Amino acid sequence: MIPDRLPDDPQNLPGDPSTTQRRRMVADQLSARGIRAARVLAALERIPREQFLPPSVGLRAYEDRAQPIDCQQTISQPYMVARMTELLELSGTERVLEVGTGSGYQTAVLATLCAHVYTVEWYLKLLHQAVFRLEQLGLLNVTYRCGDGSLGWPQQAPYDAILCTAGAPALPDALVNQLGPGGRLVAPIGPAYEQELIRVRHTANGLVRDTLFHCRFVKLRGAAGWQDGSPGS
Ligand code: SAH
């Protein structure tokens, strides 16, 4: 866990426009809409979202929406990142699997809040960009893999928390099976045009599945996803 490193970064100095945008984002988009977990709010207030988008986007990175990134993918909306992270209930000791690294922004949030992140991305180009960004921020508690994350990452299982950031037609069994005792899994499940956010908890009495709210994510590819193409390009 690297809880206290980012606040010392130059971009977190008072008066810095990026810091101001982040504070505004946390107040207007997250706190005002019911995000309560203090650690989650603090993480989003620290991580410079603009560094996960092309430089031309600038401080528009803090707008209340998902935005396009390379390979026809998206960086998730700040509220969605916060809400999904909150649902994982991270205390700082967890090993977390993330399926769909994308820009690496959600990965950075997770890396700030848990012990270690294992992240899998379909596109090598996105993965390379994400590794560079996280290393620049000094977030080194992350292991990366290019491949089909719909099958999870069995070699590193079990996980205390699993976050899938792309929409699957059905809950992938492999991900549920890689959840350790007490673990939490959050994933968007349903048709390509609209999904429901699902949380599965591995409790002493078995698996408990909650359906939370409607959402819209890019497609999860691969064997337990929409099965188009092969990873790595
Ligand atoms: N959390 C990311 C969201 C990226 S969008 C962010 O905020 O930037 C979802 C990502 O999942 C895309 O980068 C997409 O390429 C990736 N993806 C889709 N199917 C995948 C699969 N089977 N395995 C790994 N990554 C996958």
Side-chain angles (χ1 to χ4, degrees):
M1 193 173 42
I2 309 175
D4 298 322
R5 204 201 59 80
L6 287 169
D8 301 328
D9 287 350
Q11 66 264 23
N12 285 298
L13 293 173
D16 168 64
S18 162
T19 308
T20 307
Q21 288 300 315
R22 273 200 295 285
R23 295 213 171 115
R24 202 168 284 163
M25 174 188 82
V26 167
D28 299 350
Q29 299 176 35
L30 310 184
S31 297
R33 290 194 199 136
I35 305 292
R36 290 285 168 264
R39 297 181 74 238
V40 174
L41 295 171
L44 273 99
E45 191 165 324
R46 287 174 193 175
I47 296 169
R49 183 170 162 92
E50 72 275 21
Q51 292 185 23
F52 294 83
L53 282 158
S56 57
V57 176
L59 294 180
R60 283 182 288 121
Y62 293 97
E63 288 176 5
D64 184 19
R65 61 186 181 99
Q67 306 215 29
I69 58 174
D70 282 343
C71 307
Q72 282 95 49
Q73 304 305 312
T74 53
I75 180 172
S76 302
Q77 180 194 20
Y79 175 75
M80 192 58 77
V81 171
R83 189 75 197 276
M84 292 194 300
T85 308
E86 187 171 58
L87 287 165
L88 295 177
E89 296 175 356
L90 301 174
S91 67
T93 58
E94 295 83 1
R95 301 170 73 255
V96 178
L97 172 67
E98 180 190 40
V99 177
T101 318
S103 67
Y105 178 66
Q106 171 81 71
T107 322
V109 172
L110 295 173
T112 308
L113 295 173
C114 77
H116 201 93
V117 183
Y118 297 87
T119 187
V120 187
E121 170 54 47
W122 185 271
Y123 292 103
L124 194 55
K125 179 176 182 184
L126 294 180
L127 197 64
H128 281 151
Q129 292 173 347
V131 171
F132 178 77
R133 291 163 179 160
L134 275 107
E135 286 188 351
Q136 278 222 316
L137 290 173
L139 294 168
L140 305 177
N141 56 336
V142 183
T143 309
Y144 303 85
R145 186 164 78 84
C146 183
D148 181 6
S150 76
L151 301 173
W153 191 340
Q155 293 80 0
Q156 305 290 351
Y159 303 98
D160 303 301
I162 300 179
L163 178 59
C164 183
T165 71
L171 192 61
D173 286 341
L175 297 185
V176 178
N177 293 338
Q178 289 169 34
L179 211 51
R184 289 82 61 195
L185 160 64
V186 171
I189 306 296
Y193 53 87
E194 192 189 52
Q195 305 90 36
E196 287 180 316
L197 200 73
I198 303 288
R199 179 165 73 162
V200 176
R201 279 173 295 151
H202 188 303
T203 73
N205 301 320
L207 297 174
V208 177
R209 177 175 168 149
D210 297 309
T211 300
L212 299 161
F213 54 87
H214 293 284
C215 53
R216 185 171 184 175
F217 282 80
V218 297
K219 279 189 195 173
L220 182 73
R221 294 166 189 275
W226 294 91
Q227 303 194 351
D228 35 356
S230 50
S233 48

